[in-house]
């Protein structure tokens, strides 16, 4: 079906192809990616942008002996195709299927597991040091995007690498996009390099000389010295950034010109010390819809190839949060919004449009965003940092050190709490209740539904201490059960009365518990359900009054059990010598794989059906 792709099953198969054939293979790969992702969903635009780059890397380097490390890893699909995993695309990101990220367990060509950004240079530096000690000869290449290189870890690694001067190649894949438009001083600097006509002239001069060499195909051993001096002689001042930190800079080069890519990679391969090759690519390349809207096509659901992604008719919780925050900003001029490179994902795009002067996209920098918010609060503002639960993990120390010790007036809007689905273990937000639970001075709330989320956000406006509001991924939902009163700290809600078993659930798990109750009622089992709303504040009055009426307390949370919501209730029961049995439902000390969210909740025993089964056994 694919003339060239059908013949390629390993990097070895590339070695015998000439440039024209590899270009044709690139066409096949793009068609394959679009067709295959239209059926499964996945990360589309970043992968379409790195087709030639990945082909060139596998043509020039000898994977897995040479180590190619993909930052974030969402752009590793072409690498997967070239390393014998075409068939895996049928199950991409599905339960038990092929991962959307590099996985050491999946292939010897996947050198390091990723998912969160800005780790590749650290990993590659470590590998380079190990290689020196072991005295082995492999090449080490880190491929990092212009978005991910803004992350603190990447900059820390560059700082270190420039000092230790290990042989290593950093490929800076610059498409001028993060998920949304890349922002910041680094992005501006890189764009100015791309747009500098002087540099383009240098590039042309270098190209001309390269072209004169043996019949277009370079004999590197003889000419690389000349090329090195050409490139370094012409090294433009604008590239001082990396050079002054001790990293040799080459580029920028056209990341869709295979010949250039292969030439430059062959050349960098012969150089000593740390090198950065600046490669310019177009996100979404080759598929019109993705080229026009690379942000929208960053992560796609299933779609129709001819029509593109269908517009959503339902509203997501993130969109609701963005709109609500705009509403709050209208009422209170101190409200400011912060995102770490996730304006669309967290729903803040609308805030940017409405209040551009009170909106900050800090780049992929969750640690900075947290302490920056503390600074804003110190300056008298009312900061809201909207962030995915799993990415906030990076800012644990900042939460303690800069927010909570001195009780800064910052609200964290924690999106994607609980299981998130197809991105798998790196992205599930199942640790936040535990890590937030461990930090004093922060109030943590989780709403039962969208209406309660709104009440919590209203509450936050007048609350002047650290606050986190945590909600799941997905579309808005209303329970229309129980009360919708103003928030009072530490007040639980009995959402459904019953007997014998007292379920105390938090956030989305209130909904699952209510659904479980529907199942149980058919068998005349009728548990009481409490909506806890708060992670740390226990409604002692309420529990003291009713606890003796029950045989069991069952706590339910979409979080790891260790240190989570249930642990608070356990302590309450122990401290007060209550004679009641307690069970904790949650995630039991394991990383949860990828899959459909409902299936995964079932897998971990938190689907309504599994909760019902559990209660029935009690
Ligand atoms: C710590 C962390 N924060 C946020 C994200 C979400 N994220 C995934 S890809 C991406 C953009 C990366 O941009 P870039 O490195 O330029 O890659 P591109 O998609 O443009 O190829 C972001 C912000 C993440 N994976 N990790």
């Amino acid at each position: 079906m694919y003339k060239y792709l059908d013949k390629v099953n390993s990097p070895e198969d590339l070695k015998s192809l000439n440039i024209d054939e590899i270009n044709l293979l690139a066409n096949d790969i793009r068609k394959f990616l679009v067709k295959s992702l239209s059926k499964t969903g996945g990360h589309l635009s970043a992968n379409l942008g790195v087709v030639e780059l990945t082909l060139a890397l596998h043509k020039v380097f000898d994977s897995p002996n040479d180590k190619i490390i993909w930052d974030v890893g969402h752009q590793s699909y072409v690498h997967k195709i070239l390393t014998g995993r075409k068939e895996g695309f049928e199950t991409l990101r599905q339960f038990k299927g092929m991962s959307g990220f590099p996985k050491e367990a999946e292939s010897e060509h996947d050198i390091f597991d990723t998912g969160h950004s800005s780790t590749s240079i650290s990993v590659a530096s470590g590998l380079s040091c190990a290689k020196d000690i072991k005295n082995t000869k492999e090449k080490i290449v880190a491929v990092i995007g212009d978005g991910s290189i803004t992350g603190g870890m990447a900059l820390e690694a560059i700082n270190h690498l420039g000092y230790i001067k290990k042989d290593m190649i950093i490929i800076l894949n610059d498409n001028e996009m993060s998920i949304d438009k890349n922002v910041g001083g680094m992005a501006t600097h890189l764009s100015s390099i791309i747009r500098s006509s002087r540099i383009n002239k240098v590039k042309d001069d270098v190209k001309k000389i390269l072209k004169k060499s043996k019949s277009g195909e370079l004999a590197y051993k003889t000419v690389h010295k000349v090329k090195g001096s050409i490139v370094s002689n012409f090294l433009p001042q604008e590239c001082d950034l990396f050079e002054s930190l001790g990293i040799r800079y080459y580029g920028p080069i056209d990341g869709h010109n295979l010949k250039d890519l292969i030439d430059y990679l062959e050349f960098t391969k012969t150089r000593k010390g740390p090198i950065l090759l600046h490669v310019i690519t177009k996100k979404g390349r080759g598929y019109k819809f993705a080229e026009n809207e690379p942000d929208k096509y960053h992560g796609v659901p299933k779609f129709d190839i001819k029509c593109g992604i269908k517009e959503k008719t339902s509203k997501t919780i993130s969109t609701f949060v963005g709109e609500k925050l705009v509403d709050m900003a209208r009422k209170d001029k101190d409200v400011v919004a912060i995102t770490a490179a996730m304006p669309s994902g967290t729903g803040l795009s609308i805030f940017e449009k409405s209040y551009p002067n009170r909106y900050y996209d800090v780049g992929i920098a969750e640690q900075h965003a947290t302490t920056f918010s503390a600074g804003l609060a110190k300056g008298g503002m009312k900061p809201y940092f909207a962030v995915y639960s799993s990415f906030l993990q990076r800012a644990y120390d900042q939460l303690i050190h800069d927010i909570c010790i001195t009780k800064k007036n910052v609200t964290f809007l924690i999106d994607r709490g609980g299981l998130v689905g197809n991105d798998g273990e790196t992205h599930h937000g199942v640790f936040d209740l535990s890590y937030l639970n461990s930090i004093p001075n922060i109030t943590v709330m989780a709403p039962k539904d969208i209406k309660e989320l709104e009440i919590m956000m209203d509450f936050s406006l007048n609350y002047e201490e650290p606050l986190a509001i945590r909600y799941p991924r997905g579309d808005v939902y209303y329970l229309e059960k129980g009360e919708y009163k103003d928030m009072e700290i530490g007040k639980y809600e009995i959402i459904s009365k019953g007997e014998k078993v007292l379920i105390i659930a938090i956030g989305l798990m209130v909904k699952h518990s209510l659904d479980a109750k529907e199942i149980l009622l058919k068998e005349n089992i009728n548990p009481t359900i409490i909506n806890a709303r708060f992670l740390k504040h226990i409604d002692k009055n309420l529990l003291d009054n009713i606890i003796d009426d029950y045989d069991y307390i069952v706590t339910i949370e979409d979080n790891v059990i260790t240190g989570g919501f249930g642990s608070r209730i356990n302590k309450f029961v122990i401290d007060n010598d209550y004679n009641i049995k307690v069970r904790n439902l949650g995630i039991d000390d394991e990383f949860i794989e990828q899959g459909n969210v409902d299936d995964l909740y079932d897998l971990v025993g938190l689907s309504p059906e599994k909760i019902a089964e559990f209660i029935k056994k009690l």
Side-chain angles (χ1 to χ4, degrees):
M1 202 155 70
Y2 296 98
K3 183 164 176 211
Y4 292 90
L5 183 55
D6 288 348
K7 288 185 220 139
V8 174
N9 291 306
S10 78
E12 268 315 294
D13 298 332
L14 265 186
K15 310 286 183 203
S16 55
L17 300 182
N18 63 33
I19 298 277
D20 291 338
E21 289 167 326
I22 302 178
N23 269 318
L24 292 167
L25 174 60
N27 292 344
D28 274 2
I29 289 176
R30 284 206 168 83
K31 276 187 207 131
F32 175 84
L33 279 174
V34 172
K35 190 166 174 206
S36 164
L37 268 62
S38 73
K39 291 186 200 139
T40 59
H43 286 105
L44 182 60
S45 52
N47 281 292
L48 290 172
V50 296
V51 175
E52 288 81 7
L53 174 60
T54 313
L55 284 163
L57 281 165
H58 278 292
K59 170 87 173 161
V60 171
F61 293 96
D62 178 25
S63 173
N65 185 40
D66 291 339
K67 314 280 179 242
I68 304 170
I69 298 118
W70 301 93
D71 205 281
V72 186
H74 64 306
Q75 79 296 50
S76 62
Y77 294 8
V78 187
H79 162 81
K80 293 199 180 211
I81 292 172
L82 296 177
T83 50
R85 283 172 277 174
K86 268 179 290 188
E87 280 71 33
F89 280 83
E90 280 167 27
T91 62
L92 180 69
R93 292 158 49 89
Q94 292 160 30
F95 188 57
K96 303 284 174 207
M98 186 170 75
S99 170
F101 296 102
K103 286 270 175 250
E104 290 171 53
E106 200 176 279
S107 165
E108 58 178 348
H109 295 275
D110 291 2
I111 303 305
F112 208 83
D113 283 22
T114 42
H116 289 200
S117 89
S118 317
T119 63
S120 62
I121 304 175
S122 301
V123 174
S125 302
L127 284 167
S128 301
C129 287
K131 169 188 112 160
D132 275 7
I133 295 169
K134 300 241 177 228
N135 200 17
T136 52
K137 298 284 169 250
E138 70 275 17
K139 300 287 170 197
I140 295 173
V141 185
V143 186
I144 184 164
D146 56 303
S148 299
I149 207 166
T150 65
M153 262 187 91
L155 301 173
E156 290 169 33
I158 286 173
N159 179 50
H160 182 214
L161 178 64
Y163 172 65
I164 56 176
K165 296 254 180 250
K166 294 293 170 196
D167 296 346
M168 198 184 104
I169 301 159
I170 301 168
I171 307 290
L172 173 56
N173 168 32
D174 188 354
N175 51 28
E176 299 186 77
M177 294 292 290
S178 196
I179 291 180
D180 298 271
K181 184 87 196 128
N182 197 17
V183 294
M186 175 83 90
T188 312
H189 173 74
L190 294 174
S191 297
S192 78
I193 293 180
I194 298 172
R195 278 166 191 77
S196 154
S197 53
R198 192 154 74 86
I199 293 173
N200 286 332
K201 170 152 183 344
V202 173
K203 217 174 68 179
D204 288 345
D205 287 349
V206 174
K207 258 183 162 176
K208 258 186 233 154
I209 296 165
L210 294 181
K211 267 190 192 141
K212 280 185 194 154
S213 66
K214 285 188 187 171
S215 66
E217 287 290 324
L218 289 168
Y220 291 93
K221 290 209 171 85
T222 52
V223 297
H224 80 258
K225 281 196 191 125
V226 187
K227 280 192 292 171
S229 65
I230 292 163
V231 180
S232 42
N233 283 344
F234 282 93
L235 200 70
Q237 285 305 305
E238 283 90 337
C239 304
D240 250 12
L241 174 66
F242 298 109
E243 287 282 323
S244 56
L245 289 170
I247 316 265
R248 210 82 247 253
Y249 170 96
Y250 296 103
I253 65 164
D254 177 355
H256 301 297
N257 183 325
L258 257 169
K259 170 94 175 60
D260 275 9
L261 279 168
I262 292 172
D263 283 352
Y264 268 89
L265 287 176
E266 287 285 8
F267 165 68
T268 51
K269 203 170 147 180
T270 63
R271 310 300 288 174
K272 286 274 171 220
I275 285 174
L276 183 140
L277 179 63
H278 190 180
V279 175
I280 311 305
T281 59
K282 184 163 181 55
K283 214 165 167 171
R285 168 112 170 175
Y287 180 55
K288 190 179 63 178
F289 290 106
E291 278 192 18
N292 293 342
E293 291 180 285
D295 42 356
K296 184 169 164 186
Y297 285 78
H298 179 88
V300 297
K302 293 175 191 174
F303 62 96
D304 180 286
I305 298 178
K306 286 211 175 75
C307 311
I309 299 173
K310 235 199 243 148
E311 288 306 327
K312 263 192 98 171
T313 46
S314 51
K315 182 184 276 191
T316 64
I317 300 177
S318 313
T319 304
F320 172 86
V321 165
E323 289 172 359
K324 175 71 188 168
L325 206 56
V326 168
D327 199 39
M328 288 159 61
R330 198 176 303 123
K331 291 184 194 135
D332 184 338
K333 62 180 178 9
D334 289 340
V335 167
V336 289
I338 299 103
T339 175
M342 303 296 287
S344 335
T346 56
L348 287 195
S349 303
I350 183 171
F351 195 101
E352 179 184 12
K353 285 193 196 96
S354 310
Y355 293 101
N357 297 332
R358 286 152 66 186
Y359 162 86
Y360 305 94
D361 180 349
V362 300
I364 308 181
E366 291 81 6
Q367 297 174 318
H368 162 62
T370 302
T371 304
F372 172 67
S373 300
L376 281 162
K378 182 79 184 172
M381 306 311 294
K382 178 92 189 127
Y384 286 80
F385 175 23
V387 56
Y388 287 10
S389 166
S390 73
F391 302 149
L392 185 60
Q393 286 161 197
R394 293 213 159 169
Y396 184 59
D397 180 61
Q398 286 73 10
L399 273 165
I400 296 171
H401 185 271
D402 303 321
I403 301 284
C404 290
I405 290 178
T406 51
K407 298 191 183 175
K408 290 290 180 291
N409 180 6
V410 175
T411 299
F412 293 83
L413 297 168
I414 305 183
D415 202 326
R416 277 31 173 203
L419 296 174
V420 297
N422 309 86
D423 280 332
E425 65 235 277
T426 53
H427 282 61
H428 294 310
V430 293
F431 302 99
D432 52 5
L433 296 184
S434 299
Y435 66 73
L436 292 166
N437 213 356
S438 68
I439 307 176
N441 293 347
I442 186 165
T443 294
V444 184
M445 312 204 239
K448 67 180 174 188
D449 68 2
I450 201 74
K451 193 146 181 218
E452 197 162 81
L453 173 58
E454 182 166 27
I455 294 169
M456 287 177 176
M457 288 181 76
D458 284 332
F459 169 89
S460 71
L461 260 189
N462 298 316
Y463 192 71
E464 298 192 340
E465 293 192 0
L467 180 68
I469 305 175
R470 184 234 200 210
Y471 41 90
R473 177 182 193 184
D475 288 340
V476 296
Y477 63 92
Y478 293 89
L479 291 183
E480 284 169 12
K481 282 237 167 72
E483 57 195 19
Y484 288 96
K485 287 200 199 126
D486 287 349
M487 277 297 126
E488 195 182 317
I489 290 210
K491 257 229 156 327
Y492 286 179
E493 171 196 21
I494 296 182
I495 197 164
S496 176
K497 266 219 152 93
E499 54 178 8
K500 291 192 177 155
V501 174
L502 181 60
I503 293 178
I504 312 180
I506 187 160
L508 177 68
M509 291 302 107
V510 175
K511 178 176 189 302
H512 285 210
S513 303
L514 286 166
D515 292 344
K517 179 160 172 160
E518 290 302 311
I519 300 169
L520 289 165
L521 281 174
K522 288 181 194 134
E523 302 188 44
N524 293 324
I525 301 169
N526 184 15
T528 290
I529 299 171
I530 285 181
N531 164 24
R533 293 179 174 137
F534 296 89
L535 168 68
K536 301 161 133 194
H537 297 81
I538 292 182
D539 193 337
K540 192 168 176 330
N541 280 345
L542 182 138
L543 292 184
D544 280 342
N545 275 328
I546 63 170
I547 213 163
D548 287 336
D549 301 338
Y550 293 91
D551 301 330
Y552 281 97
I553 286 179
V554 178
T555 65
I556 313 187
E557 61 194 303
D558 45 354
N559 185 77
V560 290
I561 292 171
T562 315
F565 169 68
S567 69
R568 289 264 169 187
I569 300 292
N570 299 351
K571 186 167 185 319
F572 171 80
V573 169
I574 293 168
D575 287 353
N576 292 285
D577 290 325
Y578 279 116
N579 186 19
I580 190 164
K581 293 174 195 134
V582 185
R583 297 287 182 271
N584 299 138
L585 291 188
I587 290 154
D588 199 4
D589 207 20
E590 58 179 336
F591 290 109
I592 307 302
E593 58 205 291
Q594 65 188 23
N596 167 292
V597 173
D598 292 338
D599 294 344
L600 292 180
Y601 274 123
D602 200 64
L603 179 79
V604 299
L606 294 175
S607 62
E609 295 74 20
K610 286 282 165 68
I611 293 172
E613 246 173 63
F614 186 86
I615 305 287
K616 196 173 148 187
K617 273 189 202 142
L618 292 185

